[in-house]
Amino acid sequence: MNKTLTTIFALAVASVTAIAQAQETKGDVEAGKQKVAMCIGCHGIPGYQSSFPEVHKVPMISGQSGKYIAAALTAYKKGERKHPTMRGIADSLTEQDIADVSAYYEQHGKTGAEVAAKPGREPSVQVAELLKKGACVSCHGDNFAKPIDPSYPKIAGQHADYLFVALKSYKVEKNANVGRGNAIMGGIAKQFTNAELKALASYVGSLDGDLHTVPQSRFR
């Protein structure tokens, strides 16, 4: 294993341990159901697009791991993720709110169908090499829908344009409004050109997964 990947895996272990220690508040699904009014205006509308930092579909979060949602919201709250809208929303949430909303979305829209153990579509030779270089399956799983730890996201079937924007954000430094401070993903993303990140995002986004956008009324 090369030095870069050894460092990445060491950071991954440290990150999982830190998140596991921090994520102790138990979420309540029914309580979360009453707290998602600020979420459904974007994440509850199929095809809804964000215009910042560029036009892209907002991510599907119904069916996503609750621990990952909690980790992401906490990162926005701490300023480790810098999207202004999401930071503003996260700042308004207590630790219990985050736990409840995360628990709600983990079970929201679940169909009970099992995602296949392997992707139903093989990557191109180019993308296969990129996946190997980034060691993507080592964290996100062979099918990109069963990550090795629930604090990592399911990414199979996620909107490709969102994945591309997210991956690029890990390369951004010293910007008050754009960027993500995760050292593991930063080290991985910076190995690739934007064209390569787009190819990776397009492939992963084309796969079957657990993620959904479940239509919800804005008026509750």
Side-chain angles (χ1 to χ4, degrees):
M1 184 179 292
N2 64 42
K3 186 176 179 181
T4 299
L5 292 182
T6 301
T7 302
I8 288 169
F9 288 132
L11 287 168
V13 171
S15 176
V16 169
T17 302
I19 290 170
Q21 291 172 342
Q23 184 58 29
E24 296 177 353
T25 305
K26 185 172 178 59
D28 182 273
V29 173
E30 286 304 310
K33 188 176 181 179
Q34 306 305 316
K35 298 178 180 182
V36 296
M38 80 293 262
C39 309
I40 62 178
C42 294
H43 296 286
I45 302 175
Y48 190 84
Q49 296 188 115
S50 172
S51 59
F52 181 86
E54 59 193 75
V55 176
H56 64 86
K57 294 184 183 68
V58 299
M60 294 179 277
I61 59 175
S62 293
Q64 183 61 271
S65 165
K67 284 193 175 181
Y68 168 70
I69 294 174
L73 287 171
T74 300
Y76 284 118
K77 193 175 180 73
K78 290 181 176 179
E80 294 167 2
R81 291 190 177 195
K82 299 177 182 180
H83 190 286
T85 302
M86 285 303 305
R87 285 195 67 184
I89 290 171
D91 279 342
S92 72
L93 301 175
T94 66
E95 187 175 312
Q96 187 63 59
D97 292 335
I98 289 174
D100 293 342
V101 168
S102 301
Y104 172 76
Y105 274 111
E106 181 171 20
Q107 59 76 45
H108 190 233
K110 276 194 172 181
T111 63
E114 279 291 319
V115 177
K118 297 284 185 179
R121 176 171 172 251
E122 290 296 319
S124 66
V125 173
Q126 177 210 14
V127 170
E129 287 300 314
L130 297 177
L131 291 168
K132 182 179 179 181
K133 179 179 178 180
C136 304
V137 299
S138 65
C139 288
H140 296 286
D142 287 339
N143 61 0
F144 306 100
K146 292 183 179 178
I148 63 168
D149 186 272
S151 63
Y152 298 152
K154 301 175 183 181
I155 55 175
Q158 182 61 271
H159 297 305
D161 55 354
Y162 163 73
L163 289 174
F164 180 46
V165 168
L167 286 167
K168 286 192 296 181
S169 74
Y170 289 110
K171 298 169 67 175
V172 177
E173 297 178 348
K174 298 179 181 179
N175 186 307
N177 297 310
V178 179
R180 297 186 178 188
N182 184 292
I184 302 164
M185 285 302 302
I188 292 170
K190 288 171 186 175
Q191 299 179 85
F192 300 104
T193 66
N194 285 349
E196 289 172 332
L197 291 179
K198 190 170 188 177
L200 283 168
S202 295
Y203 171 68
V204 173
S206 73
L207 303 175
D208 293 329
D210 290 326
L211 305 177
H212 308 280
T213 299
V214 180
Q216 294 172 276
S217 172
R218 296 186 193 212
F219 307 101
R220 307 189 69 173

